[in-house]
Amino acid sequence: MLTQEESQEVAKKLPVADVLLSHDSMYHKHSEELNKEGLQGITDFIQEKHPILHVYGHHHEFCIYKHQKTLCICNYRLGVIEPNGEYHQC
């Protein structure tokens, strides 16, 4: 797990992207508990690089909200459809 400072350093190095897929959320979006507080680097990335979409999990709940220009989706379950048509729920 990254520290808040490490997450900010990583975020500075990431290129602009239309979609950000991460395990965790923006800092203090869901909780202020230490293991659920989110990462400041994700907040910085969204505020500076404005991806269209941010999809993440970690919080075991489903919610959709907008932060500035970014649509954020906390996804509790993920379904994958293989090229052969098989479906897997993760």
Side-chain angles (χ1 to χ4, degrees):
M1 181 104 164
L2 297 174
T3 66
Q4 295 298 342
E5 293 78 17
E6 290 169 337
S7 76
Q8 289 177 290
E9 289 302 314
V10 169
K12 288 177 189 174
K13 297 174 185 174
L14 293 175
V16 172
D18 291 331
V19 177
L20 174 63
L21 179 62
S22 66
H23 175 77
D24 214 338
S25 65
M26 296 186 306
Y27 187 65
H28 283 178
K29 177 58 190 169
H30 291 269
S31 175
E32 293 184 18
E33 292 179 42
L34 186 59
N35 67 335
K36 297 179 181 178
E37 67 184 353
L39 291 172
Q40 185 62 47
I42 293 172
T43 302
D44 294 349
F45 181 88
I46 289 172
Q47 290 178 343
E48 293 168 13
K49 299 183 179 166
H50 309 287
I52 296 167
L53 178 65
H54 175 215
V55 179
Y56 62 96
H58 182 72
H59 299 282
H60 299 264
E61 63 183 65
F62 180 78
C63 67
I64 299 175
Y65 58 93
K66 194 139 187 180
H67 181 82
Q68 296 176 345
K69 298 177 182 179
T70 303
L71 179 64
C72 302
I73 300 174
C74 180
N75 187 40
Y76 179 53
R77 292 188 176 94
L78 177 67
V80 178
I81 299 174
E82 300 281 346
N84 65 5
E86 290 184 33
Y87 175 80
H88 305 277
Q89 187 171 0
C90 307

